[in-house]
Amino acid sequence: MKIKSKTITYGFIAAGTMNIGGVLIFSRFFTNSTIPEFDPVVLSSFGLLMILVWGLAYLSVAKDFAKAKWLIAVFSIERFIYGFVWTKWLMNNDLSAVYAEDTMAGIFYTIYGANDWLFFLIFSYVFSRLMLKKNESNN
């Protein structure tokens, strides 16, 4: 299966928009204290700000992703780490306790890692495609 470049561009835009919009909406523009309360290391106010910055990085390469092959690899690794940390968090914490304190924070904790795993797969696909394209042009 080959995905068109225009579709991949939309994928980068979606990733950036989800990071930026997700953080701003669910954190209520950084005023929701419940999100950092349940994971003060990864999802501190600073951590949420950095997620927003990653979103800006995805947007910055959306149209020229083919020129940023190794950066796409970094994006894939970053998404893997966040997905892994979320999975580990779910295994060691009670999601219902987050919902009991704040529904928006509960929704955030429910979806943020699934989003990371999805974009890990997408970014990995894009990186693989770019690597294959380079190998084909060298032959």
Side-chain angles (χ1 to χ4, degrees):
M1 173 177 82
K2 186 170 180 178
I3 300 173
K4 294 180 181 181
S5 291
K6 188 173 184 177
T7 303
I8 293 172
T9 293
Y10 291 142
F12 279 93
I13 292 168
T17 302
M18 291 175 86
N19 267 41
I20 295 165
V23 165
L24 292 177
I25 291 167
F26 292 105
S27 75
R28 296 185 189 97
F29 289 83
F30 301 100
T31 65
N32 185 337
S33 61
T34 304
I35 292 174
E37 175 187 332
F38 281 88
D39 192 344
V41 175
V42 176
L43 298 174
S44 64
S45 293
F46 178 77
L48 291 172
L49 179 62
M50 290 300 97
I51 292 169
L52 195 142
V53 170
W54 279 109
L56 294 171
Y58 306 147
L59 292 174
S60 75
V61 299
K63 291 187 179 181
D64 293 318
F65 66 88
K67 296 176 184 174
K69 172 180 55 185
W70 292 106
L71 183 58
I72 308 310
V74 170
F75 290 167
S76 182
I77 293 165
E78 176 257 345
R79 288 298 189 138
F80 175 85
I81 292 168
Y82 274 98
F84 179 82
V85 167
W86 173 74
T87 301
K88 187 176 172 186
W89 186 92
L90 282 178
M91 293 170 45
N92 295 306
N93 291 276
D94 181 12
L95 189 56
S96 63
V98 182
Y99 275 98
E101 193 162 324
D102 183 85
T103 302
M104 293 289 278
I107 294 169
F108 180 83
Y109 273 92
T110 299
I111 63 173
Y112 97 80
N115 180 64
D116 289 317
W117 284 121
L118 171 67
F119 284 103
F120 160 70
L121 293 173
I122 292 170
F123 293 153
S124 295
Y125 165 80
V126 173
F127 176 71
S128 297
R129 177 177 152 172
L130 294 171
M131 288 299 291
L132 288 172
K133 187 175 181 180
K134 180 184 179 203
N135 289 340
E136 289 170 2
S137 67
N138 287 341
N139 291 332

